Amino acid sequence: MHIFRSNSKLLNSLIESEQDAAELVIPDLFGHYLLQYSAFNRAVVRKTFLKHHFFASHLPNKDLQVDYECMPFRENSLDCVVAHHILDQNPNAHQCLREAARIVVPNGYLVIIGFNPHSFWGASRFLYKYGLAPKGHYISKGRLLDWLTLLGYRVELTTGCQYLPPFILRYFPKFSNAVDRVLARMKFPGAGVYVLIARKLVAGRTPIRPQWRALSGRRIPVAAPSTRGVSVTSR
């Protein structure tokens, strides 16, 4: 998995920008479980009202190690899942998305943060050693929306950040962030990073407001072999 080439300053600036963008659009969620995982092993959600907040990683030295293509959680068990650049940094993006979608409760939220291929960041990945954007399989919002619709999700809101090329963020972060605030407010297309919030629909009804499902207990809802494909109703 490609990580920014010895450029921790650029990565830090990018994460801070994404954190600010996400906090503006992620609703106040009430429930039990929030899971976030990142291709760059950096948390995006900094505060939440959900009772239990877990950060997972593919690395063996982390507290919660997971396989993004086969998540160790029961179906319909987590109130909110945040996938940070998982899809554009994994060659099997569709399977990663299916697993993330599977473990969200009905009416729960799936937050996806990814690089936009139709942007300066998308173009920069092809500039070999002169490009600062990470390599990867960037997925457009339109394609992602089609996938989510097939999985039974409705996109509630999208926003973006990093409209300028990555070298601007690297050397002029304040200017880059100032431009982001203006263009995001104008809903200007072409953001280098999108933040997409989708909601899991329940068959036969259309939810109007968040209706969180209270899950009893404090244990992480880890999958059991006999429960795959069965809705979780109790512990």
Side-chain angles (χ1 to χ4, degrees):
M1 184 178 295
H2 178 90
I3 303 298
F4 289 87
R5 291 188 296 271
S6 302
N7 205 332
S8 59
K9 181 178 180 180
L10 175 60
L11 177 59
N12 291 337
S13 297
L14 175 65
I15 298 299
E16 290 176 5
S17 176
E18 292 173 334
Q19 289 171 336
D20 293 340
E23 287 182 353
L24 290 176
V25 295
I26 294 179
D28 292 333
L29 308 179
F30 296 89
H32 276 72
Y33 296 109
L34 181 145
L35 171 72
Q36 62 175 319
Y37 48 107
S38 166
F40 303 129
N41 296 306
R42 301 288 293 274
V44 177
V45 177
R46 291 177 287 195
K47 57 183 179 181
T48 176
F49 292 109
L50 295 177
K51 293 181 181 179
H52 307 294
H53 177 192
F54 306 104
F55 183 82
S57 171
H58 68 288
L59 298 177
N61 59 339
K62 294 296 182 179
D63 294 335
L64 183 58
Q65 183 183 1
V66 299
D67 180 351
Y68 302 144
E69 299 180 25
C70 186
M71 298 293 283
F73 301 99
R74 286 185 255 182
E75 186 173 348
N76 303 326
S77 59
L78 301 177
D79 296 294
C80 182
V81 171
V82 181
H84 178 245
H85 294 296
I86 297 298
L87 304 186
D88 51 52
Q89 295 296 303
N90 191 299
N92 200 358
H94 195 267
Q95 176 59 24
C96 292
L97 180 62
R98 268 199 303 262
E99 280 297 283
R102 177 183 65 82
I103 61 180
V104 175
V105 298
N107 291 329
Y109 286 91
L110 177 58
V111 181
I112 299 173
I113 300 173
F115 290 115
N116 177 14
H118 310 302
S119 67
F120 285 121
W121 281 73
S124 177
R125 63 190 161 133
F126 297 117
L127 298 179
Y128 189 50
K129 62 181 179 180
Y130 301 104
L132 296 178
K135 302 295 186 290
H137 307 273
Y138 293 11
I139 300 171
S140 68
K141 288 190 291 184
R143 185 181 180 191
L144 183 55
L145 190 150
D146 290 340
W147 287 359
L148 288 168
T149 300
L150 291 173
L151 291 169
Y153 279 76
R154 180 181 64 199
V155 174
E156 300 281 298
L157 187 147
T158 60
T159 188
C161 61
Q162 296 311 313
Y163 289 86
L164 300 180
F167 75 86
I168 300 293
L169 179 64
R170 171 66 177 83
Y171 296 105
F172 309 101
K174 292 184 179 180
F175 175 72
S176 179
N177 292 332
V179 172
D180 276 354
R181 286 191 291 270
V182 174
L183 296 183
R185 195 177 301 117
M186 296 170 57
K187 300 187 181 301
F188 199 81
V193 174
Y194 55 78
V195 180
L196 184 149
I197 300 179
R199 192 169 184 191
K200 192 170 189 176
L201 300 180
V202 179
R205 74 180 191 185
T206 302
I208 297 176
R209 64 180 61 182
Q211 300 177 16
W212 292 101
R213 179 181 180 183
L215 302 177
S216 62
R218 293 178 175 273
R219 295 180 291 111
I220 300 176
V222 178
S226 60
T227 61
R228 187 175 182 86
V230 179
S231 298
V232 177
T233 58
S234 64
R235 287 185 174 75

